[in-house]
Amino acid sequence: MRFLLRKLAFYAIALWAALTINFALPRLLPGNPVDILLAKLQQRGGAVSDDTRRAYALLLGGDDQTPLLQQYVDYLGNLLRGDLGVSVSYYPAQVTDVISTSLAWTIALVGIATVLAAILGVVLGALAGWRPGSWLDSLVPATTLLSAVPYFWLALLLVYLLSLQLGLLPGSGGYNVVLTPGWNWPFISSTIQYGFLPALTIVIASVGGWLLGMRNMMVSTLSEDYIMTARAKGLPERQILMRYAARNAVLPSVAGFAISLGFVVSGSVITEQVFSYPGIGSKLLAAVTNNDYALMQGVFLYITLAVLGANLVVDLLYGLIDPRTRKG
């Protein structure tokens, strides 16, 4: 219980710090964010008046006449009510609506690809580390090289080969636009078909890091005394691999997986841009391009909550896997 309370207190403080930084971002940027927002709004045909200016100022936490502390309190109050403001890039849509329409696409694409890359990399890394010098171990440099390749170059190469040359998969979009979105098989199969190529890009670019990290930890773990003791007792090699070596070697990968899983919400901006995929990464890029501070703050808030939540869950699971971490 003490371990749980300590972790909850730590993440509560981290959340408060992240929210405070998110509040300060528009005020640290050069220029007046409200004036930039109103200029963008006017370009899109929106009506600009003194009331409009004050309304946008309040969306960012308060106007020039409101004390900074009161702005901060109002900002936290808006968050508790789920009011993240109005997006200028997609005016007059609410920020929560813009994010919710794209979040499912990103979680489905980047989330599944991240899980597949982690599982594949950890399993292959454990086998490569268990038998150093084998043919599988000799493939580690090649997978590491793929991890060093820029995302956009790898994405463009796959589009050229699998889409333009072979015509096996569509090269852009999230689904066939002639279909009606919904829980029906034609639409679901279309999303799988359109999402396969960007997911393959993420898996190829990510699996090498997981494989190399797990392989090195396995090699280090195999030299530990408890591994030699287990072999001296005559335990089966498979039991030593699963219960002793891999179980301890995977602990750093679990922590890394938590961070990767948390950043799933942020999407893969470059991959989504190359494939014109309707995920949250494209929304974040549009927010930065259009100085849409409300949408930027909203996306950063979702990313913060996802990263902190994922790390909290894995910290608790880490305590179950390795009881030594609960001490202190």
Side-chain angles (χ1 to χ4, degrees):
M1 180 59 68
R2 182 181 178 184
F3 171 77
L4 176 61
L5 293 177
R6 187 169 67 247
K7 288 296 181 181
L8 291 177
F10 170 80
Y11 281 101
I13 295 173
L15 177 60
W16 168 78
L19 294 179
T20 303
I21 294 174
N22 204 23
F23 165 79
L25 281 178
R27 292 157 181 81
L28 296 176
L29 293 173
N32 190 325
V34 177
D35 292 337
I36 297 175
L37 289 173
L38 291 178
K40 295 291 183 181
L41 176 63
Q42 197 169 25
Q43 292 176 3
R44 288 167 171 76
V48 176
S49 63
D50 292 338
D51 292 337
T52 306
R53 190 183 195 286
R54 178 171 175 78
Y56 268 95
L58 291 174
L59 288 175
L60 292 177
D63 54 17
D64 297 335
Q65 287 73 40
T66 305
L68 189 62
L69 181 59
Q70 184 61 45
Q71 295 180 30
Y72 182 63
V73 173
D74 293 340
Y75 164 77
L76 293 179
N78 289 334
L79 290 183
L80 291 176
R81 292 192 298 271
D83 184 5
L84 302 181
V86 178
S87 170
V88 176
S89 306
Y90 302 93
Y91 180 85
Q94 293 284 329
V95 169
T96 50
D97 295 333
V98 174
I99 294 177
S100 62
T101 56
S102 57
L103 190 58
W105 291 95
T106 293
I107 291 176
L109 171 64
V110 186
I112 294 175
T114 300
V115 172
L116 289 177
I119 294 175
L120 184 62
V122 167
V123 171
L124 293 179
L127 295 176
W130 182 250
R131 292 284 185 265
S134 63
W135 67 270
L136 182 59
D137 193 29
S138 63
L139 295 179
V140 173
T143 58
T144 306
L145 178 63
L146 288 175
S147 299
V149 174
Y151 262 40
F152 72 91
W153 189 87
L154 182 59
L156 292 175
L157 179 63
L158 291 177
V159 169
Y160 176 76
L161 293 176
L162 300 180
S163 180
L164 297 180
Q165 293 298 317
L166 301 178
L168 299 176
L169 296 166
S172 63
Y175 61 95
N176 192 336
V177 294
V178 302
L179 300 176
T180 303
W183 293 104
N184 55 81
W185 176 244
F187 176 75
I188 294 175
S189 61
S190 177
T191 58
I192 294 174
Q193 183 182 17
Y194 276 76
F196 186 86
L197 203 54
L200 181 63
T201 303
I202 297 173
V203 170
I204 292 176
S206 304
V207 70
W210 295 105
L211 194 157
L212 180 62
M214 185 63 182
R215 184 263 179 197
N216 291 340
M217 283 303 303
M218 279 291 293
V219 172
S220 177
T221 302
L222 290 177
S223 63
E224 297 291 339
D225 293 339
Y226 58 85
I227 298 294
M228 290 186 285
T229 303
R231 281 175 168 163
K233 290 181 178 180
L235 296 179
E237 290 289 293
R238 182 176 180 181
Q239 184 177 353
I240 297 174
L241 170 63
M242 299 300 297
R243 294 189 58 184
Y244 293 90
R247 181 177 179 181
N248 288 279
V250 80
L251 292 177
S253 296
V254 171
F257 180 71
I259 299 175
S260 300
L261 203 58
F263 277 106
V264 163
V265 174
S266 66
S268 181
V269 178
I270 297 177
T271 303
E272 292 183 4
Q273 189 67 15
V274 171
F275 291 100
S276 300
Y277 196 79
I280 202 169
S282 59
K283 298 297 188 296
L284 178 59
L285 182 62
V288 174
T289 304
N290 296 300
N291 296 318
D292 192 343
Y293 297 107
L295 183 55
M296 277 190 283
Q297 282 184 304
V299 173
F300 292 152
L301 175 62
Y302 274 71
I303 295 173
T304 300
L305 293 176
V307 171
L308 291 178
N311 277 273
L312 174 59
V313 171
V314 174
D315 262 356
L316 298 178
L317 292 177
Y318 210 109
L320 296 176
I321 297 173
D322 188 357
R324 293 173 297 179
T325 60
R326 298 199 297 265
K327 300 178 181 180

